[in-house]
Amino acid sequence: MKRIILIFSIAILIASCGSQKEVAKLEKATGTMSNVLPKVKIPKANVSQIAADVAFLASDDLEGRDTGSDGILAAAKYLQNRLHEIGLQPYKGDFFDDFDAKGAQAFNVVGMLPGTDGVLKDEIVVIGAHYDHIGFMKAVAGDSLANGANDNATGTASVLAIAQALKQIDFNRRTVVFALFSAEEKGLLGSKHLAKRMKAEKENVVAMLNFEMIGTPMVGREYIAYITGHDKSNMASVFNTANNNRLVTGKLDKAVEYNLFMRSDNYPFFNEFQVPAQTFSTFDFTNFKYYHQPGDEVSEINAPHMAAVVDAVMPGIMAVVNNERLKMMAN
């Protein structure tokens, strides 16, 4: 009887005020999740802010953000400030997650939004991207600086935009950890460190969503982004269904051929937790010719496309952080 009254009370609350904040407060107070997801207005991604974040991270002043460099330290401080401005809490009391990267001092930058549901708050969805790049390399046409705009200032800026949207919506039943990784280019070292740390601390990670190279639109595809390891979970189906059955995500054969599932920061979380952990990308092997080249400049990046990607995935993210439980699929 108490449960019936509680669910009825939540339903009345939703109908009377439509406030996700009030629903979250009631769920937190009672420790019981409503099966009803209140209607929320998802804000549009800010194209200007996305462009500004990419421009800073890929600027010549940061010298390609090589792990252990002054440039990547400047990037880490910038990201710490951005997470603070958005209103995220530091993860376990500190935005910097320090680790050793083959003798170099390195920092993941990690913030969080605590969950509101009495039960689901102990489940964690990690949303991440790597912010490091490769620094200087052999000169091409007199330019030896690999700025790393698409790889992966774009993924980093997208995670910041998602964090901004979720903070503004202010409704996430599960806890969301936003992880910006260093030393991906050294062998996924940052994500390996954080995944192992979270595993050792007995965190209940239930999904990991990673963003990598989304600065240019795909060519000749009905969907806006693909997911690596497409057939390993129901993630693509959940994201497409959440967006009114619009084909938001799909499968890229080249991603399978090059085994991209194992080549980005989703993979350490899959290894440690055996949960859906996949990467969203729009790099289709035909639409960007400057991978690990000095030509990976801000001028090559399409910020409105990036904003469209963020807008397209936000309904799926809302589903994952609130009521959908992603599932591994049998291979």
Side-chain angles (χ1 to χ4, degrees), residues 207-274:
M208 195 280 181
L209 316 177
N210 190 54
F211 290 82
E212 175 100 30
M213 296 185 69
I214 63 165
T216 54
M218 300 181 72
V219 178
R221 303 285 172 173
E222 295 181 13
Y223 47 87
I224 195 169
Y226 64 89
I227 296 180
T228 64
H230 181 277
D231 298 335
K232 294 183 180 296
S233 82
N234 67 337
M235 190 180 293
S237 175
V238 166
F239 272 73
N240 291 336
T241 300
N243 208 335
N244 296 319
N245 292 313
R246 173 188 169 196
L247 190 60
V248 173
T249 61
K251 183 178 181 179
L252 186 72
D253 290 339
K254 279 286 187 181
V256 179
E257 179 183 344
Y258 285 90
N259 200 14
L260 297 190
F261 174 70
M262 298 177 64
R263 294 177 60 181
S264 194
D265 292 304
N266 59 287
Y267 191 63
F269 287 87
F270 172 76
N271 268 344
E272 293 294 336
F273 294 97
Q274 293 295 301

Side-chain angles (χ1 to χ4, degrees), residues 285-307:
F285 295 84
T286 69
N287 62 350
F288 186 74
K289 61 183 179 180
Y290 299 112
Y291 174 71
H292 282 196
Q293 296 293 323
D296 188 0
E297 301 267 9
V298 174
S299 59
E300 301 296 321
I301 302 307
N302 185 328
H305 158 73
M306 291 177 58

Side-chain angles (χ1 to χ4, degrees), residues 52-72:
D53 288 334
V54 172
F56 179 85
L57 293 170
S59 65
D60 287 353
D61 290 344
L62 268 60
E63 298 184 334
R65 309 186 308 280
D66 195 10
T67 299
S69 69
D70 291 339
I72 199 167

Side-chain angles (χ1 to χ4, degrees), residues 27-319:
E27 289 178 343
K28 186 174 182 180
T30 60
T32 303
M33 183 186 80
S34 164
N35 290 324
V36 180
L37 183 63
K39 292 182 179 180
V40 297
K41 182 176 178 59
I42 299 176
K44 293 292 185 181
N46 185 326
V47 177
S48 296
Q49 183 63 63
I50 287 174
D53 288 334
V54 172
F56 179 85
L57 293 170
S59 65
D60 287 353
D61 290 344
L62 268 60
E63 298 184 334
R65 309 186 308 280
D66 195 10
T67 299
S69 69
D70 291 339
I72 199 167
L73 177 58
K77 290 179 178 178
Y78 174 86
L79 295 173
Q80 177 187 31
N81 289 336
R82 287 285 289 117
L83 294 182
H84 178 73
E85 289 169 357
I86 289 169
L88 301 190
Q89 294 183 16
Y91 180 68
K92 299 295 182 72
D94 196 339
F95 284 114
F96 275 19
D97 171 44
D98 303 352
F99 64 98
D100 177 82
K102 299 180 179 178
Q105 187 179 22
F107 321 90
N108 295 324
V109 185
V110 191
M112 63 182 292
L113 284 175
T116 59
D117 178 69
V119 175
L120 293 186
K121 67 181 180 181
D122 293 328
E123 298 183 355
I124 294 176
V125 176
V126 178
I127 301 177
H130 77 90
Y131 72 98
D132 66 304
H133 197 52
I134 60 175
F136 291 94
M137 58 177 297
K138 184 178 180 179
V140 176
D143 185 2
S144 61
L145 177 57
N147 295 76
N150 200 16
D151 185 14
N152 188 36
T154 58
T156 303
S158 299
V159 171
L160 293 175
I162 292 166
Q164 180 69 67
L166 284 177
K167 178 61 179 177
Q168 186 172 335
I169 293 167
D170 195 24
F171 189 82
N172 52 285
R173 288 165 169 154
R174 294 185 171 98
T175 293
V176 186
V177 169
F178 298 92
L180 304 172
F181 304 109
S182 186
E184 187 268 358
E185 302 287 5
K186 306 295 185 185
L188 311 182
L189 299 184
S191 52
K192 286 178 180 177
H193 167 78
L194 184 60
K196 288 181 181 295
R197 173 187 169 184
M198 295 180 78
K199 184 71 170 182
E201 293 173 346
K202 302 187 185 306
E203 298 287 9
N204 186 15
V205 174
V206 297
M208 195 280 181
L209 316 177
N210 190 54
F211 290 82
E212 175 100 30
M213 296 185 69
I214 63 165
T216 54
M218 300 181 72
V219 178
R221 303 285 172 173
E222 295 181 13
Y223 47 87
I224 195 169
Y226 64 89
I227 296 180
T228 64
H230 181 277
D231 298 335
K232 294 183 180 296
S233 82
N234 67 337
M235 190 180 293
S237 175
V238 166
F239 272 73
N240 291 336
T241 300
N243 208 335
N244 296 319
N245 292 313
R246 173 188 169 196
L247 190 60
V248 173
T249 61
K251 183 178 181 179
L252 186 72
D253 290 339
K254 279 286 187 181
V256 179
E257 179 183 344
Y258 285 90
N259 200 14
L260 297 190
F261 174 70
M262 298 177 64
R263 294 177 60 181
S264 194
D265 292 304
N266 59 287
Y267 191 63
F269 287 87
F270 172 76
N271 268 344
E272 293 294 336
F273 294 97
Q274 293 295 301
V275 298
Q278 290 157 274
T279 292
F280 293 78
S281 180
T282 67
F283 169 63
D284 67 8
F285 295 84
T286 69
N287 62 350
F288 186 74
K289 61 183 179 180
Y290 299 112
Y291 174 71
H292 282 196
Q293 296 293 323
D296 188 0
E297 301 267 9
V298 174
S299 59
E300 301 296 321
I301 302 307
N302 185 328
H305 158 73
M306 291 177 58
V309 172
V310 172
D311 292 341
V313 300
M314 276 304 302
I317 288 173
M318 282 296 292

